[in-house]
Amino acid sequence: MRTKGLAWSRLPLLIMSAISLPLIAGSTGLVCYTAVESLDLSCLLRWDCPHASPNITYTVQTKTQGDPWQDVPWCVWISSRSCDVSHVFSNFELYNMIRLGVHLTPSSTVWIKPHKFDYSDFTFSPPSISVSLKNDSMSVEVQFPCAANRRCAHDVCCPISKLIDPWTTVTVYNELNRSENQSRTVWTQEVVSTLEFSGLSPGQSYCAVANFSFPIYSIAASPKSAPGCVATRSSSGMLLMYCAGIGLSFLVLLLFLAVFLQKPRRDRPTPDNPPKALTAAQDLDSLAPPVFVPVDPCDINLELLDDHSSNMGLTSSSKSKTLSPHMHFDASGGVVYCYSEVLKQKR
């Protein structure tokens, strides 16, 4: 038991020795600890040389498979303890190397053992998703985090899907019954990845989560996104909407027929019928009441013919005869007298 406890107590020392030994620079005894931090395809080299002079300076170089070592222009003879080389690397499927140079004197530089930069160093931010419901299918759109790289230096946001073709995995599950789920993994070759899921039960709430990884290497995978949820329509609600649509269509048809049937039809004029304007005038004349104009009897002129044969047959008593209350005939003189009310009053 004592031996085992002693071994466990020495384990941190063994680990530190394993890390420090490769970083000892030749016979100078200079020890530097280097580490690479990578988030969303960025690359930041950090180092610590605890026994180095405070005034010492450093230079960082990079190397891509098949190319020579090259200085990072903004990390030459610097006194800081870090260097961002994110804009240097553009092909992540080749071998990329980084090394730190320590300037002991203006003419003496010690190069620390190179550090590789590959998928084992990658870490990613979770993607963001948006979900929508189309009929009975759920559409999930996956948007990738922004990356810092020289190929996208002029863009406000350069999604990492412009630099690599990630494997994207989307899982859709029933919010109340997690056993009802379906998952799909696709090789994304577009800036935005969109996946469709069908076979969802009506009246249920479904959620989706997504993550992605570096092509082929699942070890470099992002955390899962925040869930995006949507509720499917219930069967009763769909039936009600269907019936409402049919009823509305039927109502519109009835209104159209009612308006069409109430529209008056114009009769064509026949040759036997008089023109409408003339007929209307005649109808008005026939309906107008007769107008009676008062006539003074004295305004009537009577002309009597001197017929001797008729006079011969008249007796003396019949020579004078009253024709009306206002007219009197004198046979002897052949004169007709007209009496008005005025004359009668004077007499």
Side-chain angles (χ1 to χ4, degrees), residues 48-114:
D48 181 25
C49 303
H51 303 293
S53 171
N55 298 326
I56 204 168
T57 56
Y58 307 91
T59 294
V60 177
Q61 290 184 341
T62 60
K63 174 182 173 63
T64 300
Q65 181 180 354
D67 296 332
W69 287 101
Q70 295 181 352
D71 291 340
V72 178
W74 52 89
C75 294
V76 176
W77 294 86
I78 60 175
S79 58
S80 63
R81 300 294 189 272
S82 64
C83 176
D84 188 357
V85 295
S86 301
H87 292 191
V88 175
F89 301 117
S90 59
N91 193 336
F92 301 98
E93 296 180 355
L94 300 177
Y95 294 108
N96 297 299
M97 306 292 290
I98 310 170
R99 72 178 181 178
L100 175 67
V102 183
H103 301 291
L104 300 178
T105 64
S107 59
S108 175
T109 302
V110 177
W111 295 100
I112 307 300
K113 184 178 180 180

Side-chain angles (χ1 to χ4, degrees), residues 299-313:
D299 294 334
I300 301 174
N301 296 324
L302 298 177
E303 187 175 343
L304 301 177
L305 298 176
D306 188 10
D307 191 355
H308 297 281
S309 59
S310 60
N311 291 335
M312 290 296 293

